[in-house]
Amino acid sequence: METSSGIRNAIEKIGEEGLFLTSFIKNTFKKGFEWNEFLRQCYKIGYMSLGIVLLTGFILGFVLTLQSLPTLKTFGAENFTPNMVSVSVIREIGPVITALICAGKIASGIGAELGSMKVSEQIDAMEVSGANPMQYLVVTKILACILMIPLLTILADGVAFLGGFVGINLNGGMNGLLYFRKTFQALSFTDLYPAVIKTFFFGFIIGFVGCYKGFNSNKGTESVGLAANAAVVTASVWIIIVDAIAVQLTSTLVYN
Amino acid sequence: MDNIIELKGLKKAFDGNGVLKDINLTVKKGENVVVIGKSGAGKSVTIKCIVRMIDPDEGSVKVFGKEVQEMNDDELRELRIKTGFLFQSGALYDSMTVRENLAFPLERVLKIKDENEIEERSKEVLEAVGLSDAIDKMPADLSGGMRKRMGLARTIIVRPEIMLYDEPTTGLDTITSREISELIMKVHKQYKTTSIIITHDMACAKITADRIVVMEDGQLIAEGTYGDLQRSEDELIRAFFK
Ligand SMILES: Nc1ncnc2c1ncn2[C@@H]1O[C@H](COP(=O)(O)OP(=O)(O)OP(=O)(O)O)[C@@H](O)[C@H]1O
Ligand SMILES: [Mg+2]
């Protein structure tokens, strides 16, 4: 009994998510796209997370460099530190850490915002007035995430290189020109494009999960917190799952 | 076509609990019908069925002679534009100023682009509800009574033909309640609306009602004018007048 109703609930959930996704896609292409609100969301998302993304990016590059230096030194390969750091930052650490930070910052913000609009009947009021809350609230937020997360990731990658440069100069030193030449030498197009593509998916996950959890939160004030919390947890898990899939796909399709 | 709203045999259950058991109600053009009933009787659910915010399990909801359950998206949108719904909580958009709250339905529902017209209509409704000074305030800075007026202003700005009021005076002092009730009558006269007003407040019912219906446990158990009900012998009905 228990398990069968559990399974039914799970299936119902997937059905609801599917409907929400379909509605998002339909409303994206409906006429009357909310450009102003979309731009406002882009600004808000970018502005809200810029500081923390830059800070973590810098520290990542810095720490990664300090961590790799001694090991590479034992092989007499400390000159290759920038190459190694740049590949790991671009391929994996930059996108994933930025996405996880944004899941914490943005998905929870969206979940809480829409959750409280739901609780205070603002979403119902919008709908029943004949306006389209999907188009105004959801489409704009998801698309803004899809656009902004890749940009934030690129910025994080950039400051991670700076962090690496600082790290290397505190431990022996390398001139800037050489450092950045090595950094970019190590990168090929096949490192870049799979990494960029997956950040679009991360952006989608953050926006979609935040909106879905907020839009479908229950009535009652405690559900705002629950929606925000569920948004972070679910988005983070999906980011990690999608990343694992992306790594597997790129290693079979691109590097072979 | 004199009947604007017709509810027939409306039934709705949530998780097996019958909330609406058999609602039959007809509202004529220009009529103000007040629905009174205890908390949890199903009043809010009933008016939510009228704009299809809730789908009934059984029964028919006809508005302007059309079955609401059978409407397509465009017809439903049109119905919702013609029907103003004042939420129990006011449901003001917290992140927008009063001005933006008022512009929202004009821009997004009526698709009005002309800034001057938006400004003019906003000023007109704010004046009607007595909130002219509040145009640049945030909803959080308004008092309870002001929020109700503001909700009303945002609802009437699209000039609806039907108004559904969910407890417009609940939580307000008697003087403010009376002002809101009088405002409802003013809107009624100015815009010639047909209204359903849910309330516990008999003073509000006395001012606004052409006819009162009493809802108890998902059914309508009595109806009549304020005077009729006042003379009733029924304990349940008498309780409202105490
Ligand atoms: N969306 C919903 N899901 C589940 N139950 C609901 C829902 N909406 C209403 N109910 C239940 O239906 C019953 C009637 O609710 P309704 O809001 O119509 O009461 P009401 O007569 O408006 O009371 P009040 O005067 O307190 O507003 C309540 O028991 C409520 O819990
Ligand atoms: Mg109610």
Side-chain angles (χ1 to χ4, degrees), chain B residues 9 29 36 69 76 84 124 136 142 151 165 171 218:
Chain B
K29 190 168 172 56
I36 61 174
Q69 291 301 310
L76 183 61
E124 180 197 318
D136 289 312
L142 303 179
Y165 297 92

Short mmCIF file of all heavy atoms in Angstrom, two decimals, chain B residues 9 29 36 69 76 84 124 136 142 151 165 171 218:
data_model
loop_
_atom_site.label_atom_id
_atom_site.label_comp_id
_atom_site.label_asym_id
_atom_site.label_seq_id
_atom_site.Cartn_x
_atom_site.Cartn_y
_atom_site.Cartn_z
N GLY B 9 -26.35 22.90 -9.08
CA GLY B 9 -25.91 21.61 -8.55
C GLY B 9 -24.41 21.50 -8.37
O GLY B 9 -23.81 20.46 -8.65
N LYS B 29 -28.72 40.54 -13.64
CA LYS B 29 -27.94 41.72 -14.03
C LYS B 29 -28.18 42.87 -13.07
O LYS B 29 -29.32 43.20 -12.74
CB LYS B 29 -28.34 42.14 -15.45
CG LYS B 29 -27.43 43.20 -16.03
CD LYS B 29 -27.71 43.33 -17.53
CE LYS B 29 -26.99 44.51 -18.15
NZ LYS B 29 -25.57 44.53 -17.98
N ILE B 36 -23.54 34.99 3.15
CA ILE B 36 -23.01 34.91 4.50
C ILE B 36 -22.90 33.44 4.89
O ILE B 36 -23.56 32.58 4.31
CB ILE B 36 -23.86 35.69 5.54
CG1 ILE B 36 -25.28 35.14 5.60
CG2 ILE B 36 -23.90 37.16 5.19
CD1 ILE B 36 -26.12 35.77 6.70
N GLN B 69 -16.94 25.81 -17.69
CA GLN B 69 -16.09 24.62 -17.82
C GLN B 69 -15.76 24.29 -19.28
O GLN B 69 -14.80 23.59 -19.55
CB GLN B 69 -16.79 23.40 -17.18
CG GLN B 69 -16.89 23.49 -15.68
CD GLN B 69 -15.54 23.60 -15.02
OE1 GLN B 69 -14.63 22.82 -15.30
NE2 GLN B 69 -15.37 24.58 -14.15
N LEU B 76 -12.05 32.11 -21.71
CA LEU B 76 -11.82 32.20 -20.27
C LEU B 76 -11.14 33.53 -19.91
O LEU B 76 -11.49 34.19 -18.94
CB LEU B 76 -10.94 31.03 -19.81
CG LEU B 76 -10.68 30.95 -18.30
CD1 LEU B 76 -11.98 30.78 -17.54
CD2 LEU B 76 -9.73 29.81 -17.97
N GLY B 84 -14.18 41.10 -12.00
CA GLY B 84 -13.21 41.55 -11.01
C GLY B 84 -13.29 40.67 -9.78
O GLY B 84 -14.37 40.33 -9.33
N GLU B 124 -7.86 58.21 -11.67
CA GLU B 124 -9.32 58.15 -11.53
C GLU B 124 -9.74 57.12 -10.48
O GLU B 124 -10.52 57.43 -9.58
CB GLU B 124 -9.94 57.81 -12.90
CG GLU B 124 -11.45 57.72 -12.89
CD GLU B 124 -11.97 57.00 -14.13
OE1 GLU B 124 -11.45 57.26 -15.23
OE2 GLU B 124 -12.88 56.16 -13.97
N ASP B 136 2.70 56.59 -5.03
CA ASP B 136 4.10 56.16 -5.10
C ASP B 136 4.52 55.28 -3.93
O ASP B 136 5.70 54.97 -3.78
CB ASP B 136 5.02 57.37 -5.23
CG ASP B 136 4.89 58.01 -6.59
OD1 ASP B 136 4.95 57.25 -7.58
OD2 ASP B 136 4.70 59.24 -6.68
N LEU B 142 1.14 50.42 3.33
CA LEU B 142 -0.28 50.78 3.46
C LEU B 142 -0.90 50.08 4.66
O LEU B 142 -0.50 48.98 5.03
CB LEU B 142 -1.05 50.38 2.20
CG LEU B 142 -0.55 50.95 0.87
CD1 LEU B 142 -1.41 50.41 -0.27
CD2 LEU B 142 -0.58 52.46 0.88
N GLY B 151 -6.67 47.16 -3.37
CA GLY B 151 -7.08 45.95 -4.10
C GLY B 151 -8.31 46.23 -4.94
O GLY B 151 -8.41 45.82 -6.09
N TYR B 165 -16.51 39.86 -4.46
CA TYR B 165 -15.78 40.36 -3.29
C TYR B 165 -15.65 39.26 -2.26
O TYR B 165 -16.66 38.74 -1.79
CB TYR B 165 -16.56 41.50 -2.64
CG TYR B 165 -16.77 42.74 -3.47
CD1 TYR B 165 -17.90 42.88 -4.26
CD2 TYR B 165 -15.85 43.78 -3.44
CE1 TYR B 165 -18.13 44.03 -5.01
CE2 TYR B 165 -16.05 44.93 -4.17
CZ TYR B 165 -17.19 45.06 -4.95
OH TYR B 165 -17.40 46.20 -5.67
N GLY B 171 -11.54 42.18 9.23
CA GLY B 171 -10.31 42.68 9.83
C GLY B 171 -10.22 44.19 9.92
O GLY B 171 -9.19 44.72 10.28
N GLY B 218 -21.61 23.86 2.88
CA GLY B 218 -21.64 23.52 1.45
C GLY B 218 -23.00 23.58 0.80
O GLY B 218 -23.18 23.13 -0.33
#
